[in-house]
Amino acid sequence: MRPVWQDGRVPRLARALVFGLILASCLAACGGGDASGPIQFAPMGALSGAAGKGSWRFGIATAATQIEDMDTATDWYTWTAPTAMGGLGKGTFVGNATDGFTKDLDDVQLLAGLHVESYRFSIEWARIEPVRGQIDEAAIAHYRAELEALHAAGIRPLVTLHHFSNPTWVGDPRAIPCADAPSDTNLCGFADPAGAPLIIDAVAKHAGLMAARFGDLVDDWGTVNEPINYLLASYGIGYFPPGLVTISNIPKFIAVIRTYISMHAAMYAAIKANDTIDADGDGIAASVGLSISVVDWEPSRFHAPSTNPDNLAARDRMVYLFHYLFIDSITNGMFDSDFDGTPDEAHPEWANTLDWLGLQYYERAGVSGLNPLIGAPVNISPCLAGFDSGQCLPAPDPTYCVPRMGYEGYTDGIHDILVAVAARYPTLPLVVTEAGIATDVGKRRAENIVRVLEAVTRARDEGVDVRGYYHWSLTDNFEWAEGFGPHFGLFSVDYSTYARTATEGADVLGTIAQAREITAEQRATYGGTGPMTVEPGFSVDPLCSKVAATP
């Protein structure tokens, strides 16, 4: 059997090699954008099902841990809190984030002012169940009031149930790996053979509870967010809580992925069983999907595009692992237990547990087979912030670099990814559930918005079933291990007062969403593939090295 990662794609080296020539010719003729005509967007429709094909939604995305205050029961609070407060003091203390729990109804009004039709946000499991088996009814009432406010504003919620955070009792980072058996105060995390089944059962019950309590207000559900990205950060390289490092023990890391897939399938079944109310009248009571992180991976070696067969194969393996492994498993009910590209385990309980698929795109990056960062059988070395032994590629234009994050924000890359994913899963509706840019320049954010929408529109014009775009994010926020330095918000946040101030990106997206059109003038000002507005205060670095914010 041919390994499924060998998908027969024509290598994109030709595009990489000629891109500079195309760009150079465009610069003379295009300026900051191009002279193309307006783009119109269809009315909103269902996120899944045949009736929603051709529809379009504008949305905004956030995550609870990144914005909510008084969120003390999460593993991230324990992970980042100073040791004097009983935490581990890892990175920047999340504290009260952006005061988003207290200001949630105010933020709903910001959403309404942007004229968006949907809000993707997460309900914090740790707030609902801060102690194992004990449900906080006040927290449920608070989220219900937020959902009711969204409905009153004509904004459809898309609720994510697991977005990078857990109640501390799921896996207390202060005591991982566990010296003792799992307990009510520490189930020992997804990597513990005894604790993992208990966590799957607990999160399925949580998903069922949320579906039962909020099914009259919510039809669109997301189970998990960026599963491979999350598991790599939290259980692969120890960058997120609980801080386990298993990447040198691939079978152990594979076991964690298997657990997480089982968790998704259990959540899917629980939501379907408990949300039986069609809240928005589109004929679908519960539309359940998830979001994956996607990257425009390019074969590389020695800081240059590569045609070396080892690097081409490494690129294909990276795309398979990062984009397809999880989704293949929950669509066909098979698992590739050794990452060799050939599924070898049957899991019929996983099959067909996906109604829609969200793609989250921020960057283009190189990947090499030389000096693998991730060992056998994967044998790949991706360009990651802080890890570069020659696999990182120079940006065609240094203004594409996002210095606070340390990557190249090549907006047009989402087009090829959408086309490839649609070819692999032709019956699965797609939606861009996150795209954005860390910047302090409003015009750069507006450029990112228009250029991503242009690329997505090209894919739709070619027949790809893409049903919407959620911008990341409403406000500046706690950007996980990066702290508060990167600013992704349509609204900037003054952390001394938590006041929100609209940026040029908010003005542009609000105008587009209200008119359901990108005008020719907006495309000429913000669109195209030419240079972006310069991020001031940073030296030119074609390799897009990361520059940390000053504390």
Side-chain angles (χ1 to χ4, degrees):
M1 181 182 296
R2 186 183 67 169
V4 295
W5 50 262
Q6 292 179 350
D7 57 8
R9 292 182 304 158
V10 176
R12 289 176 289 175
L13 177 66
R15 186 191 61 161
L17 291 175
V18 304
F19 182 82
L21 294 175
I22 296 172
L23 179 60
S25 64
C26 179
L27 296 186
C30 303
D34 64 32
S36 299
I39 298 172
Q40 281 87 31
F41 296 93
M44 183 176 180
L47 197 54
S48 64
K53 189 169 184 178
S55 66
W56 181 265
R57 60 177 61 192
F58 285 103
I60 305 295
T62 66
T65 302
Q66 295 181 265
I67 63 172
E68 290 187 357
D69 50 311
M70 303 178 291
D71 201 8
T72 60
T74 68
D75 50 1
W76 275 95
Y77 196 92
T78 300
W79 179 258
T80 61
T83 55
M85 295 175 58
L88 292 175
K90 301 280 190 179
T92 302
F93 180 34
V94 62
N96 283 325
T98 68
D99 221 25
F101 193 70
T102 296
K103 298 177 75 67
D104 61 338
L105 299 186
D106 293 336
D107 287 345
V108 169
Q109 295 308 306
L110 296 183
L111 291 164
L114 292 171
H115 307 286
V116 295
E117 299 139 315
S118 185
Y119 179 39
R120 175 178 175 259
F121 71 105
S122 63
I123 290 177
E124 188 72 85
W125 181 15
R127 200 181 287 278
I128 300 294
E129 193 177 358
V131 177
R132 188 184 183 200
Q134 297 182 19
I135 303 303
D136 188 333
E137 292 293 339
I140 291 178
H142 187 104
Y143 283 120
R144 186 168 189 86
E146 182 177 4
L147 288 166
E148 289 172 342
L150 289 168
H151 271 260
I155 300 170
R156 184 180 301 184
L158 193 174
V159 173
T160 303
L161 293 175
H162 193 270
H163 192 132
F164 285 10
S165 61
N166 301 282
T168 301
W169 54 264
V170 165
D172 191 332
R174 295 167 296 191
I176 293 285
C178 286
D180 301 311
S183 67
D184 284 346
T185 58
N186 187 5
L187 293 182
C188 302
F190 296 114
D192 188 89
L198 301 176
I199 297 170
I200 293 171
D201 180 68
V203 76
K205 288 178 179 175
H206 170 66
L209 177 66
M210 295 298 93
R213 293 296 191 93
F214 299 137
D216 61 323
L217 295 169
V218 180
D219 282 353
D220 297 337
W221 300 90
T223 55
V224 299
N225 179 76
E226 298 186 0
I228 298 300
N229 215 15
Y230 166 68
L231 295 176
L232 183 63
S234 56
Y235 288 88
I237 61 176
Y239 202 46
F240 287 6
L244 279 184
V245 178
T246 67
I247 202 64
S248 59
N249 184 348
I250 293 295
K252 188 169 185 178
F253 186 63
I254 291 172
V256 174
I257 294 177
R258 186 187 291 108
T259 292
Y260 208 67
I261 296 172
S262 295
M263 187 182 90
H264 156 80
M267 294 172 76
Y268 180 95
I271 294 168
K272 290 287 190 176
N274 287 278
D275 180 3
T276 59
I277 301 172
D278 181 5
D280 51 31
D282 64 1
I284 302 172
S287 182
V288 185
L290 60 82
S291 298
I292 62 170
S293 174
V294 293
V295 172
D296 186 10
W297 297 109
E298 298 287 354
S300 62
R301 181 172 287 196
F302 307 133
H303 295 141
S306 174
T307 57
N308 182 288
D310 290 344
N311 299 320
L312 293 171
R315 186 275 312 277
D316 288 345
R317 289 194 300 273
M318 189 70 195
V319 170
Y320 171 60
L321 174 63
F322 211 66
H323 297 181
Y324 298 146
L325 174 71
F326 202 97
I327 307 308
D328 283 1
S329 299
I330 60 177
T331 53
N332 63 29
M334 296 290 294
F335 186 58
D336 179 1
S337 67
D338 56 8
F339 290 1
D340 70 349
T342 303
D344 58 332
E345 280 184 13
H347 292 270
E349 73 280 9
W350 295 354
N352 302 312
T353 57
L354 193 66
D355 301 333
W356 56 267
L357 175 61
L359 305 183
Q360 308 195 159
Y361 177 77
Y362 293 92
E363 63 176 301
R364 173 166 58 183
V367 60
S368 175
L370 186 68
N371 302 320
L373 177 65
I374 302 173
V378 182
N379 292 322
I380 52 177
S381 188
C383 177
L384 301 171
F387 298 95
D388 181 15
S389 58
Q391 66 269 37
C392 295
L393 290 169
D397 189 295
T399 63
Y400 293 176
C401 294
V402 184
R404 284 284 183 250
M405 298 301 292
Y407 54 61
E408 180 200 346
Y410 176 57
T411 52
D412 206 52
I414 185 63
H415 168 270
D416 285 5
I417 294 170
L418 285 166
V419 171
V421 172
R424 195 176 186 96
Y425 311 110
T427 64
L428 195 59
L430 306 179
V431 59
V432 178
T433 42
E434 286 184 25
I437 185 171
T439 181
D440 291 322
V441 181
K443 188 173 182 181
R444 274 174 68 83
R445 180 162 289 110
E447 290 164 349
N448 176 272
I449 291 165
V450 172
R451 294 176 186 209
V452 168
L453 289 171
E454 287 177 331
V456 173
T457 297
R458 284 173 41 228
R460 279 169 57 89
D461 289 346
E462 293 165 17
V464 177
D465 184 8
V466 190
R467 303 191 182 186
Y469 160 86
Y470 289 78
H471 184 79
W472 183 271
S473 185
L474 180 64
T475 66
D476 295 339
N477 54 51
F478 174 74
E479 194 53 42
W480 307 114
E482 308 302 327
F484 293 99
H487 296 154
F488 279 89
L490 293 168
F491 292 83
S492 63
V493 174
D494 179 343
Y495 287 102
S496 66
T497 64
Y498 297 110
R500 280 86 158 119
T501 302
T503 69
E504 187 172 347
D507 296 338
V508 170
L509 180 58
T511 300
I512 292 170
Q514 183 178 27
R516 307 199 72 73
E517 178 183 78
I518 305 175
T519 66
E521 181 181 2
Q522 287 168 329
R523 295 188 71 184
T525 303
Y526 302 109
T529 55
M532 297 182 71
T533 299
V534 173
E535 187 83 42
F538 296 92
S539 58
V540 173
D541 176 15
L543 287 174
C544 301
S545 299
K546 181 177 172 183
V547 181
T550 303

